[in-house]
């Protein structure tokens, strides 16, 4: 493991990019997910159809293929993205599709009687969503969102295929330099596990904090 200690700073830089890609993808994916969920629930027929097609395509195709389409395929149409930008775009679009289904399911889990009661008190549609539906739906959505976030953390390893120097790519470069495999792969496995554990702890704390409001 001496080689791991000697190159620990390099591996930590890879871990930094892994966390960066995860957080950026979650941020934009969250926005995409909310918009898509509302489009499917409140949009007209055309908007609902487009949102449904987007979710179906993203959920029905491998993430690796989506990465190749964005990074290599768009070049054919004059759109050239850097590796890191392509990673942000692809993973944001990917996680947005999955989060939209999480949000939609959470909103639909709220009994319709509450919406009708809110309307009866004179609330508008927006007030009903903001004051009644969203606060409850967020609590329902947090556990599956946590699974999606942790899954995204691990899927960042796929962007190593387009030369983004995240954690797995860092290990590959060290393996190519030293011709030693096991120490580096065990090291990054441990680092992924630590990061996943930290994410889980944060989400559990958020879930407990929000459950106290009931």
């Amino acid at each position: 493991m001496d080689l791991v200690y000697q190159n620990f700073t390099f591996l930590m830089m890879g871990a930094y990019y892994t966390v960066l890609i995860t957080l950026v993808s979650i941020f934009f994916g969250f926005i995409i997910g909310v918009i898509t969920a509302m489009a499917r629930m409140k949009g007209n027929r055309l908007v609902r159809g487009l949102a449904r097609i987007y979710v179906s395509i993203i959920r029905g195709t491998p993430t690796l293929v989506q990465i190749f389409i964005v990074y290599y395929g768009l070049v054919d149409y004059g759109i050239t993205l850097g590796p890191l930008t392509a990673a942000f775009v692809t993973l944001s679009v990917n996680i947005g599709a999955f989060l939209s289904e999480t949000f939609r399911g959470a909103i639909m889990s709220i009994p319709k009687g509450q919406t009708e009661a809110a309307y009866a008190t004179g609330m508008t549609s927006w007030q009903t969503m903001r004051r009644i539906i969203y606060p409850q739906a967020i609590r329902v959505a947090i556990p599956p969102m946590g699974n999606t976030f942790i899954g995204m953390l691990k899927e960042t390893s796929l962007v190593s295929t387009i030369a983004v120097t995240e954690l797995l790519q860092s290990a590959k470069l060290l393996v190519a330099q030293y011709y030693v495999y096991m120490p580096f792969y065990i090291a990054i496995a441990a680092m992924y596990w630590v990061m996943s554990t930290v994410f889980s702890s944060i989400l559990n704390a958020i879930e407990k904090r929000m459950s106290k409001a009931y």
Side-chain angles (χ1 to χ4, degrees):
M1 298 296 285
D2 289 343
L3 289 175
V4 173
Y5 295 134
Q6 293 173 15
N7 295 280
F8 188 69
T9 303
F10 185 70
L11 290 174
M12 286 300 294
M13 185 57 69
Y16 162 76
Y17 279 107
T18 292
V19 173
L20 176 65
I21 293 168
T22 302
L23 294 179
V24 171
S25 301
I26 287 174
F27 176 77
F28 288 106
F30 186 90
I31 296 173
I32 294 171
V34 171
I35 293 173
T36 304
M38 296 311 299
R40 291 198 64 178
M41 299 181 66
K42 301 292 184 180
N44 58 34
R45 188 173 181 178
L46 175 61
V47 172
R48 289 200 306 271
L50 292 174
R52 189 179 300 111
I53 291 171
Y54 155 63
V55 172
S56 177
I57 290 174
I58 296 299
R59 296 179 67 189
T61 55
T63 306
L64 186 58
V65 174
Q66 297 164 15
I67 291 171
F68 286 168
I69 288 173
V70 171
Y71 186 65
Y72 296 112
L74 291 181
V75 175
D76 294 344
Y77 301 94
I79 302 173
T80 303
L81 301 177
L84 195 58
T85 304
F88 290 151
V89 171
T90 307
L91 296 183
S92 296
V93 171
N94 181 280
I95 195 173
F98 287 93
L99 287 179
S100 72
E101 289 301 279
T102 299
F103 296 149
R104 195 168 67 90
I107 292 172
M108 292 179 67
S109 70
I110 309 303
K112 290 185 178 179
Q114 296 192 24
T115 302
E116 295 169 356
Y119 288 157
T121 62
M123 287 188 186
T124 63
S125 177
W126 167 242
Q127 289 173 329
T128 301
M129 295 299 289
R130 183 169 61 86
R131 297 179 181 178
I132 307 297
I133 305 301
Y134 286 155
Q136 298 181 78
I138 288 174
R139 295 186 180 99
V140 175
I142 284 178
M145 281 172 57
N147 292 332
T148 304
F149 291 165
I150 292 172
M152 178 52 59
L153 173 70
K154 290 182 286 189
E155 287 209 342
T156 56
S157 62
L158 294 175
V159 302
S160 66
T161 56
I162 55 173
V164 176
T165 315
E166 45 68 65
L167 198 51
L168 179 59
Q169 180 68 3
S170 300
K172 287 180 178 178
L173 293 173
L174 292 173
V175 167
Q177 180 178 351
Y178 294 101
Y179 299 102
V180 175
Y181 294 85
M182 190 60 81
F184 295 120
Y185 287 138
I186 288 178
I188 66 168
M191 294 171 81
Y192 276 118
W193 175 73
V194 169
M195 289 188 287
S196 297
T197 303
V198 171
F199 264 86
S200 296
S201 300
I202 294 172
L203 291 167
N204 287 337
I206 294 173
E207 185 178 355
K208 287 181 181 178
R209 183 180 178 82
M210 297 196 70
S211 66
K212 292 179 181 178
Y214 278 110

